[in-house]
Amino acid sequence: MTWRMPSETAPHDRTWMAFPREGFTMGDSAAGREECYAAWTEVAHAVAEFEPVSMVVDPTEIERARRMLSAEIDIVELPLDEFWMRDFGPTFVVDDDRPNVLGAVDWTFNGWGSPDWAEWTKSAEVVRGVAPLVGAEIVSSTLVNEGGGIHVDGAGTVLLTETVQLDPRRNPYADKRRVEAEMERTIGATQAIWLRRGLTRDYESLGTNGHVDIVATIPSPGRLLVHAQTDPAHPDHEVSRDVRAALEGTTDAAGRTWDIVDVPAPATLRDAHGFVDWSYVNHHVVNDGVIACGFGEAVADQRATALLEEAYPGRRVVTVDARPIFARGGGVHCITQQQPRVEAS
């Protein structure tokens, strides 16, 4: 069999998310906790306008989830500690020789390199709870990886970051050749494009050490949307310039050079904790729509909406306030995971 991860623009059966639960990531203030619950709930309701949503909920949060989520959102009770579904949840794949078969890649998850603050052992088991519910075959992998650490075009190309898959806290014995072989086996990627690093904030305490999904994405074959920090006062000005230059020298699996579209960052440079990594690249594509990150900046948010509408023609862009999500280490893409549609058996 040959597994393949479809493009995120391919038709979805549903989107999976995980409901927040109390812990380090959420914060220790009552206001912070309420802000976190509300942000995840807003994204779920935005996605539900376009396609079904299944929400994994820890037993300690069932009552709250039922109170906050609309009745149309399916609640799946499973033990959780972290709630970034993109990263520990299944990376769904299909088998083109068996069009009615769904696969679920179960990457090894160790909490983004097992930092001292991370609680991840419960969430690392979620794939094995979710896969049977949707009839997916589990594709086991010993590679420590997260769904936010890859982007694909569905036709053989994958974007990776050296500081993620080659992170010694994740895969101390890996090299590019081994990682690329595993990407081909699990998601059907035959052309790996390696970025040297990710955005600056992503290397701080709540960061992932360089996830690609806030740096670049592939909206259609041969095209890239790339985060562009245009202000030289921000350290990501140099980072995004280097990323673009590196991508200009690569081709996709079909041998095409890239049409690269810059997606400018918001004007805000800092928050209370330092330089922000606010990125419009970190959006979630849904059936007939796009759930975009907003940052409370009318001009920048509207500019990003226009770019996304052009990149995804025929899809309606819905913007949610992503600042509470980014304050906890990620964005809209990081808390969602698409399940591709397969033929009925």
Side-chain angles (χ1 to χ4, degrees):
M1 70 186 69
T2 302
W3 296 112
R4 177 179 63 86
M5 182 180 175
S7 166
E8 294 184 19
T9 59
H12 299 175
D13 183 74
R14 65 185 58 248
T15 284
W16 284 86
M17 296 182 63
F19 197 70
R21 60 151 296 166
E22 293 196 20
F24 184 84
T25 301
M26 179 179 282
D28 55 9
S29 71
R33 290 193 293 270
E34 291 304 317
E35 176 187 67
C36 184
Y37 290 124
W40 264 248
T41 298
E42 182 183 7
V43 172
H45 289 156
V47 175
E49 294 183 29
F50 298 91
E51 64 191 50
V53 176
S54 290
M55 182 75 74
V56 177
V57 182
D58 186 77
T60 63
E61 297 288 358
I62 286 291
E63 182 179 344
R64 186 189 306 271
R66 287 177 176 154
R67 184 172 70 249
M68 295 187 70
L69 298 172
S70 68
E72 65 184 334
I73 294 175
D74 177 41
I75 291 178
V76 176
E77 185 174 344
L78 290 171
L80 287 176
D81 26 40
E82 274 299 344
F83 37 91
W84 302 90
M85 192 67 178
R86 175 73 55 176
D87 288 350
F88 60 76
T91 293
F92 288 106
V93 290
V94 298
D95 182 351
D96 293 328
D97 294 327
R98 300 180 297 161
N100 62 340
V101 173
L102 182 68
V105 180
D106 185 14
W107 308 111
T108 299
F109 180 67
N110 72 350
W112 310 278
S114 194
D116 292 342
W117 55 265
E119 297 177 283
W120 48 267
T121 56
K122 293 178 181 178
S123 294
E125 300 297 322
V126 161
V127 174
R128 296 184 178 271
V130 166
L133 300 177
V134 296
E137 295 184 11
I138 294 176
V139 183
S140 297
S141 178
T142 57
L143 184 73
V144 178
N145 185 46
E146 304 90 36
I150 58 175
H151 255 314
V152 302
D153 64 358
T157 311
V158 63
L159 305 180
L160 304 169
T161 315
E162 292 179 8
T163 55
V164 174
Q165 287 80 22
L166 303 182
D167 181 356
R169 302 171 306 161
R170 287 174 165 103
N171 299 298
Y173 305 110
D175 56 25
K176 288 184 178 180
R177 182 184 59 81
R178 291 178 179 178
V179 172
E180 289 170 9
E182 186 68 347
M183 291 293 157
E184 183 171 4
R185 184 186 74 86
T186 55
I187 63 172
T190 56
Q191 172 81 332
I193 296 175
W194 290 90
L195 302 182
R196 186 176 63 84
R197 56 159 297 155
L199 301 186
T200 301
R201 180 72 165 261
D202 207 18
Y203 293 87
E204 297 180 3
S205 60
L206 286 179
T208 68
N209 219 46
H211 270 189
V212 74
D213 69 350
I214 58 173
V215 179
T217 189
I218 310 172
S220 57
R223 200 170 203 206
L224 287 167
L225 299 180
V226 178
H227 177 76
Q229 175 52 254
T230 59
D231 193 326
H234 195 299
D236 285 337
H237 176 69
E238 182 177 352
V239 172
S240 60
R241 183 191 62 191
D242 290 349
V243 165
R244 195 186 203 285
L247 290 169
E248 286 173 345
T250 65
T251 61
D252 67 7
R256 288 174 292 227
T257 56
W258 297 104
D259 171 21
I260 300 177
V261 178
D262 291 324
V263 183
T268 301
L269 298 183
R270 304 179 68 98
D271 63 9
H273 303 285
F275 287 107
V276 299
D277 56 354
W278 295 354
S279 171
Y280 296 109
V281 168
N282 194 272
H283 51 269
H284 178 50
V285 181
V286 292
N287 294 335
D288 301 319
V290 178
I291 312 303
C293 295
F295 301 101
E297 296 186 18
V299 173
D301 288 357
Q302 290 169 10
R303 178 180 58 203
T305 295
L307 285 169
L308 294 176
E309 288 174 343
E310 193 277 332
Y312 300 100
R315 296 179 193 257
R316 179 164 61 94
V317 177
V318 174
T319 299
V320 299
D321 187 349
R323 288 172 292 183
I325 308 174
F326 271 85
R328 290 163 177 83
V332 169
H333 189 261
C334 308
I335 67 174
T336 52
Q337 178 63 272
Q338 69 280 352
Q339 178 186 327
R341 188 179 301 158
V342 297
E343 293 183 12
S345 56

